[in-house]
């Protein structure tokens, strides 16, 4: 029987879960797969047979005493409050599952502490790589504790400051997009959506992991480019003083984001992994406006996109006509094929193949392994 592969899946937004489903769907059908997450609803409707383990939701859990709350966090960790029953139950459930299922590989998407926990528990782990300023001791320790890292993006997007010895342990799947619907050409997409076939269209899109696209700057954009039609997809963030304009429409969640991206001349989007690759899949011209994330994740990804000439960026959301006109002019001059090249249609298949191959290689010949002639390795305390 093949060794099981288990995933720890963070439940913030939908990106981690969608990525896990895309990869797990490509595993061999006789590979046992399980998912440990505090967001089991994110996997509703997933067709592949997997085991779902519901973890406690530790976000917002209250530390029971002021004294415990005052204890400093050691630099080798990021989020380890003391006294939380929810945290103890989470770690216990993870360890029990890894032990009871004899998990061969634990894929962590994402948590430095959970990756370290796997190593302490003697379970091989792979950490999903994300951009950001992650050269702190906690991240480096977690990476070094893993048997490898999976980067769901093109190697050209790698950061210059990512250590060489860790790059050697990283598998780059190419740009992984979890959308699988067919990409229409621009004329077909506009006809399907009832949009003017000749008007310039700018689509601002955001996912569910943040507070939404700031709406106020888009009202300035609509006035700066009155001949363009501006459409927003997903949530928007209003401050309460905005004035609406006829060429700016809020559409919210739509059935097919792909159709709108294909219909657009320019896309304004955050630098989330799946969002970027959704735009890349339709070869759009991208204005990337990173949202705040821990460790500057989206900021560093946006920098990499701009460096490659795959996107343009402003240092902040323009608040004036000139700023928007300049940004739009730079976007119009982009070569959309550069962004398109960052999307890999077979990324999920390649990622799944690497994870399965790594699992099998790690456990190959286990029953035939003998102690070396030299002094046997012993586990000692300390």
């Amino acid at each position: 029987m093949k060794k099981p592969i288990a995933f720890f899946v963070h439940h913030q937004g939908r990106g981690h879960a969608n990525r896990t489903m895309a990869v797990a769907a490509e595993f061999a059908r006789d590979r046992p797969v399980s998912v440990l997450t505090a967001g089991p609803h994110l996997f509703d409707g997933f067709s592949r047979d997997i085991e779902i383990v519901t973890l406690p939701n530790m976000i917002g859990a209250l530390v029971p005493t002021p004294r415990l709350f005052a204890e400093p966090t050691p630099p080798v960790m990021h989020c380890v409050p003391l006294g939380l029953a929810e945290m103890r139950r989470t770690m216990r459930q993870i360890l029990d599952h890894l032990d009871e299922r004899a998990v061969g590989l634990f894929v962590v998407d994402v948590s430095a502490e959970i990756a370290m926990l796997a190593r302490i528990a003697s379970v091989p782990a792979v950490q999903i790589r994300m951009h950001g300023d992650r050269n702190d001791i906690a991240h480096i320790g977690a990476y070094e504790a893993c048997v490898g890292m999976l980067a769901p993006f093109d190697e050209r997007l790698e950061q210059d400051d990512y250590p060489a010895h860790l790059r050697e342990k990283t598998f780059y799947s190419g740009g992984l997009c979890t959308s699988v619907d067919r990409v229409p050409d621009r004329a077909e997409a506009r006809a399907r959506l009832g949009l003017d076939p000749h008007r310039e269209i700018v689509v601002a899109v955001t996912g569910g992991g943040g507070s939404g696209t700031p709406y106020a700057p888009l009202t300035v954009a609509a006035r700066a480019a009155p001949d363009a039609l501006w459409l927003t997809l997903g949530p928007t963030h209003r401050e309460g003083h905005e004035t609406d304009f006829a060429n700016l429409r809020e559409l919210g969640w739509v059935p097919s984001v792909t159709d709108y991206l294909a219909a657009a001349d320019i896309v304004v989007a955050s630098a989330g992994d799946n969002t970027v690759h959704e735009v890349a899949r339709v070869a759009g011209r991208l204005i990337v406006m990173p949202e705040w994330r821990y460790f500057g994740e989206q900021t560093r990804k946006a920098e990499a996109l701009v460096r490659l000439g795959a996107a343009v960026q402003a240092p902040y959301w323009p608040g004036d006509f000139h700023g928007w006109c300049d940004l739009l002019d730079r976007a119009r001059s982009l070569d959309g094929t550069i962004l398109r090249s960052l999307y890999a249609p077979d990324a999920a298949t390649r990622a799944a193949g690497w994870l399965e191959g790594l699992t099998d290689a790690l456990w190959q010949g286990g029953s035939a392994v003998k102690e070396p002639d030299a002094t046997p390795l012993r586990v000692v305390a300390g």
Side-chain angles (χ1 to χ4, degrees), residues 21 42 59 82-83 142 203 221 246 266:
M21 288 187 281
L42 297 171
I59 295 179
L82 293 173
V203 171
I266 298 171

Side-chain angles (χ1 to χ4, degrees), residues 190-218:
R190 292 192 177 196
R192 186 182 300 175
L193 298 171
L195 298 174
D196 189 324
H198 305 296
R199 190 177 188 181
E200 182 176 48
I201 295 177
V202 183
V203 171
V205 60
T206 190
S211 59
T213 301
Y215 190 72
L218 294 181

Side-chain angles (χ1 to χ4, degrees), residues 16-371:
H16 305 288
N18 287 346
R19 179 163 50 220
T20 297
M21 288 187 281
V23 173
E26 300 297 325
F27 285 154
R29 290 296 159 179
D30 58 346
R31 174 77 63 182
V33 179
S34 56
V35 169
L36 300 95
T37 181
H41 63 282
L42 297 171
F43 293 85
D44 289 348
F46 184 45
S47 58
R48 193 194 192 280
D49 182 25
I50 61 173
E51 179 182 6
I52 301 288
V53 178
T54 302
L55 299 175
N57 186 353
M58 298 185 294
I59 295 179
L62 297 177
V63 175
T65 71
R67 179 68 175 81
L68 288 170
F69 186 71
E71 283 298 309
T73 299
V76 294
M77 298 178 180
H78 293 140
C79 184
V80 283
L82 293 173
L84 297 186
E86 296 90 343
M87 184 166 285
R88 292 193 295 277
R89 288 198 297 269
T90 294
M91 302 308 157
R92 186 182 303 115
Q93 281 187 256
I94 291 173
L95 291 175
D96 286 347
H97 180 80
L98 296 176
D99 194 24
E100 291 166 3
R101 299 293 184 272
V103 167
L105 188 69
F106 191 27
V107 184
V108 182
D109 190 357
V110 286
S111 167
E113 287 85 3
I114 298 299
M116 290 293 287
L117 177 72
R119 184 58 186 253
I120 293 169
S122 197
V123 177
V126 163
Q127 180 90 304
I128 300 296
R129 277 284 318 286
M130 302 180 78
H131 285 80
D133 297 312
R134 302 178 191 269
N135 285 336
D136 56 280
I137 188 173
H139 275 113
I140 296 300
Y143 294 149
E144 291 180 340
C146 288
V147 295
M149 274 75 69
L150 172 58
F153 49 83
D154 192 291
E155 189 171 3
R156 288 173 291 168
L157 286 175
E158 184 58 274
Q159 298 171 199
D160 293 337
D161 58 356
Y162 190 61
H165 73 287
L166 296 178
R167 188 176 298 202
E168 292 174 359
K169 293 175 60 174
T170 301
F171 177 79
Y172 299 89
S173 69
L176 197 162
C177 177
T178 59
S179 297
V180 295
D181 50 340
R182 187 180 70 85
V183 178
D185 62 29
R186 183 171 301 171
E188 179 187 350
R190 292 192 177 196
R192 186 182 300 175
L193 298 171
L195 298 174
D196 189 324
H198 305 296
R199 190 177 188 181
E200 182 176 48
I201 295 177
V202 183
V203 171
V205 60
T206 190
S211 59
T213 301
Y215 190 72
L218 294 181
T219 65
V220 181
R223 284 178 283 171
D227 293 331
L229 175 63
W230 294 75
L231 305 174
T232 72
L233 310 183
T236 56
H237 174 72
R238 286 177 175 261
E239 299 183 31
H241 52 68
E242 295 87 353
T243 300
D244 292 321
F245 294 88
N247 65 325
L248 174 59
R249 304 177 192 169
E250 287 183 275
L251 302 182
W253 297 112
V254 296
S256 176
V257 173
T258 300
D259 285 346
Y260 284 94
L261 296 179
D265 295 289
I266 298 171
V267 177
V268 183
S270 68
D273 266 335
N274 197 61
T275 298
V276 167
H277 293 124
E278 275 194 298
V279 181
R281 195 166 74 106
V282 301
R285 289 174 171 81
L286 175 62
I287 296 174
V288 62
M289 297 300 293
E291 296 181 4
W292 185 93
R293 289 294 185 272
Y294 291 102
F295 306 104
E297 172 199 329
Q298 291 203 10
T299 301
R300 296 304 303 274
K301 192 177 190 73
E303 289 173 356
L305 289 164
V306 172
R307 170 173 48 81
L308 288 175
V312 296
Q313 179 189 4
Y316 46 80
W317 287 91
D320 64 301
F321 291 2
H322 175 75
W324 273 110
C325 290
D326 174 70
L327 191 55
L328 290 169
D329 284 343
R330 289 192 286 125
R332 294 181 186 112
S333 68
L334 284 170
D335 177 357
T337 62
I338 299 176
L339 181 62
R340 177 61 183 268
S341 72
L342 298 177
Y343 162 66
D346 62 345
T349 302
R350 295 183 68 237
W354 179 74
L355 289 171
E356 289 204 270
L358 177 60
T359 304
D360 294 342
L362 288 167
W363 294 95
Q364 185 176 13
S367 59
V369 172
K370 297 180 180 180
E371 292 286 356

